[in-house]
Amino acid sequence: MKGRLPTTHFVKSKCALAITAFFTASVLSASALAFVPLSQDQAQDNSSTVSKSYSASDKAVSIAKETIIVDGHIDVPYRVKNQWVDVTKATDDGDFDYPRAVKGGLNAPFMSIYVPASLDNSPESTQLAHLLIDSVEAIVARAPDKFAIAKSPSDVKAHFKKGIISLPLGMENGSPIQGNLDNLKDFHERGIRYITLAHSQSNHISDSSYDLRRQWKGLSPFGKQLVSEMNNIGIMLDISHVSDDAFYQVVELTHVPVIASHSSLRRFTPGFERNMNDDMIKKLGDNGGVIMINFGSSFVSKEAGQWRTGLTNARKALIKAEGEDSPKLEDFEAQYRKKVPYPYSTLDEVLDHIDHVVKLIGVDHVGIGSDYDGVGDSLPIGLKDVSSFPNLVQGLLDRDYSRADIEKILSGNLLRVWQQVEDYAETH
């Protein structure tokens, strides 16, 4: 459909690469839960059961337009780095641009300053982070009547009143800090308001949920120091991507609530450590934090994870049979999808994640972290791009959420945590 990236993009997306690495490692690890790949018939059965179409009522559209919507994680900066496009105007690919954001009511998407784990422990990681911040500033410079950098909850609220879309900044992967707290201060001055401590590999701060090598058994000594410094300077701690041990250490050390900027629930994806289990969610609730639900199908349903495991195993079998130079590897995923259709999750399944958080710890601790432009062609039916937020609102209405609670999920909870972090920093 128009506005979506081609199928092959999913192979190159950052989340797909990390997920593939995780499931490949899981298959090789005796301690990991092995997933059984979907058969072609199973995938087709799944596809036939999720053909439901979604539409939003006038009430849902009004709520989306009249409410601040904060999305905890959108990968526009890295998208435009890979292939420049002017998101201040309508675009033919990707998940985000100005017209679609306006249509969906999205007005405060955190721009992900994503630094690949391959650049860890190198000056290039710090350089890339600054360049990606530059790219967000360039978006604002091209269209100051449409966008503005937001460095505080008050900025978001002021921009909303003016009809301008806020672009707050979150750093995905703490690698650019390089163990130097002066870098932390520099990034804070430039607008970074949360840091995802690690990405797909253990770094100098924290172990990663994707990396079976747990060199720190949680946080490094510098990572423990960084928790305190981030509290003091006013940068939210993002525990998406970190190992379970690192999560528990963060919530013990922090003096303010933390966020999971783009994570979903392990209850629905058994064995997938990148998501949070029920005990972690309860600890997050005790901490006062917020889990922001990731829309990527592999984060939402176990079937999508099983499909990727099947893809990985099929690719390995081809390499074993024909070698690394096989021409069939060039469009391998596209051909595999023809034989075994991808089992997209649905809006209803995303809502199941929200419902479960509310059941466990209450409506004050859940938000939205879509990962648009970061998960490639894996988005759920009903939530294919940023214009789809009224569908989400409609789903919440259909499940009898009040308008007040919907507003908490769309932005109120994250803005509360952000303000608490700022208030603490002002006194320390």
Side-chain angles (χ1 to χ4, degrees):
M1 61 178 287
K2 184 178 180 182
R4 297 293 310 120
L5 289 171
T7 298
T8 52
H9 174 79
F10 188 51
V11 177
K12 302 175 184 176
S13 74
K14 64 183 183 66
C15 286
L17 291 171
I19 290 168
T20 298
F22 173 82
F23 285 123
T24 300
S26 295
V27 169
L28 297 176
S29 171
S31 63
L33 177 64
F35 285 91
V36 179
L38 288 177
S39 69
Q40 182 175 356
D41 288 342
Q42 286 174 312
Q44 289 174 336
D45 287 344
N46 176 275
S47 178
S48 66
T49 60
V50 296
S51 59
K52 174 181 177 181
S53 62
Y54 295 90
S55 61
S57 65
D58 291 343
K59 181 178 180 180
V61 173
S62 294
I63 292 174
K65 298 281 189 177
E66 295 166 6
T67 305
I68 295 174
I69 298 180
V70 174
D71 190 319
H73 193 92
I74 293 186
D75 279 287
V76 167
Y78 206 77
R79 170 188 165 196
V80 300
K81 170 193 175 293
N82 282 340
Q83 184 173 353
W84 189 88
V85 63
D86 188 355
V87 295
T88 70
K89 304 174 183 178
T91 60
D92 291 328
D93 62 3
D95 310 323
F96 174 95
D97 56 39
Y98 180 76
R100 282 184 281 174
V102 170
K103 181 179 179 181
L106 176 63
N107 33 50
F110 269 84
M111 296 286 99
S112 173
I113 305 305
Y114 162 62
V115 176
S118 59
L119 297 181
D120 288 355
N121 303 313
S122 72
E124 287 79 10
S125 69
T126 306
Q127 180 184 15
L128 176 59
H130 282 297
L131 289 174
L132 294 179
I133 296 172
D134 289 346
S135 73
V136 180
E137 293 176 344
I139 291 170
V140 172
R142 287 197 302 278
D145 58 325
K146 298 177 180 177
F147 297 106
I149 302 291
K151 296 185 177 182
S152 67
S154 59
D155 282 350
V156 171
K157 294 172 183 177
H159 297 159
F160 178 68
K161 289 180 179 179
K162 295 178 181 178
I164 295 174
I165 294 177
S166 294
L167 299 180
L169 305 176
M171 180 184 290
E172 186 178 24
N173 191 357
S175 173
I177 303 303
Q178 297 289 339
N180 185 338
L181 295 178
D182 287 338
N183 285 331
L184 181 71
K185 294 176 183 177
D186 289 343
F187 284 120
H188 179 263
E189 289 177 4
R190 295 208 66 187
I192 294 295
R193 289 301 180 266
Y194 76 67
I195 296 176
T196 316
L197 300 181
H199 191 251
S200 59
Q201 294 179 16
S202 175
N203 62 12
H204 74 287
I205 297 168
S206 173
D207 290 335
S208 165
S209 62
Y210 284 126
D211 193 342
L212 296 181
R213 301 163 297 169
R214 304 298 163 92
Q215 64 170 323
W216 306 116
K217 295 180 173 58
L219 297 174
S220 72
F222 177 75
K224 294 175 181 177
Q225 179 187 5
L226 187 66
V227 169
S228 177
E229 293 298 327
M230 286 174 63
N231 283 177
N232 292 340
I233 202 172
I235 297 179
M236 290 180 282
L237 288 149
D238 178 20
I239 53 76
S240 289
H241 283 280
V242 304
S243 68
D244 289 7
D245 286 341
F247 163 78
Y248 287 112
Q249 291 169 21
V250 168
V251 295
E252 286 299 317
L253 291 169
T254 184
H255 296 287
V256 294
V258 304
I259 65 170
S261 70
H262 59 306
S263 294
S264 298
L265 310 188
R266 208 176 300 173
R267 177 184 181 87
F268 300 99
T269 57
F272 186 29
E273 190 179 338
R274 171 65 176 80
N275 280 344
M276 298 179 69
N277 65 30
D278 284 6
D279 182 69
M280 296 167 74
I281 293 165
K282 291 175 182 177
K283 289 288 186 183
L284 186 74
D286 293 341
N287 163 264
V290 177
I291 176 173
M292 309 181 78
I293 301 300
N294 191 313
F295 293 171
S297 289
S298 291
F299 294 83
V300 175
S301 71
K302 64 181 179 181
E303 289 81 10
Q306 291 171 337
W307 182 93
R308 184 145 292 280
T309 302
L311 171 70
T312 299
N313 290 341
R315 190 176 188 278
K316 288 166 62 178
L318 176 63
I319 291 173
K320 183 176 181 180
E322 301 187 14
E324 293 278 0
D325 297 328
S326 172
K328 296 178 183 177
L329 291 172
E330 288 188 17
D331 62 345
F332 182 77
E333 180 168 337
Q335 295 304 314
Y336 185 83
R337 282 178 180 252
K338 291 178 181 178
K339 296 177 181 178
V340 186
Y342 185 76
Y344 292 101
S345 62
T346 67
L347 167 59
D348 288 294
E349 290 174 305
V350 172
L351 292 168
D352 289 343
H353 286 249
I354 294 174
D355 283 350
H356 190 66
V357 176
V358 173
K359 177 182 177 182
L360 281 179
I361 58 175
V363 75
D364 294 327
H365 304 285
V366 62
I368 303 302
S370 67
D371 216 346
Y372 280 132
D373 277 332
V375 290
D377 185 19
S378 77
L379 290 161
I381 295 170
L383 292 171
K384 288 298 186 183
D385 61 29
V386 296
S387 69
S388 304
F389 282 104
N391 291 348
L392 180 73
V393 174
Q394 184 64 54
L396 292 168
L397 289 171
D398 291 343
R399 297 193 181 200
D400 296 323
Y401 283 83
S402 68
R403 176 157 184 166
D405 285 347
I406 291 172
E407 290 175 353
K408 288 181 179 181
I409 293 168
L410 294 181
S411 63
N413 295 333
L414 185 281
L415 293 175
R416 168 185 58 81
V417 170
W418 191 357
Q419 190 62 58
Q420 287 178 275
V421 170
E422 289 218 333
D423 291 345
Y424 181 88
E426 287 182 2
T427 60
H428 290 80

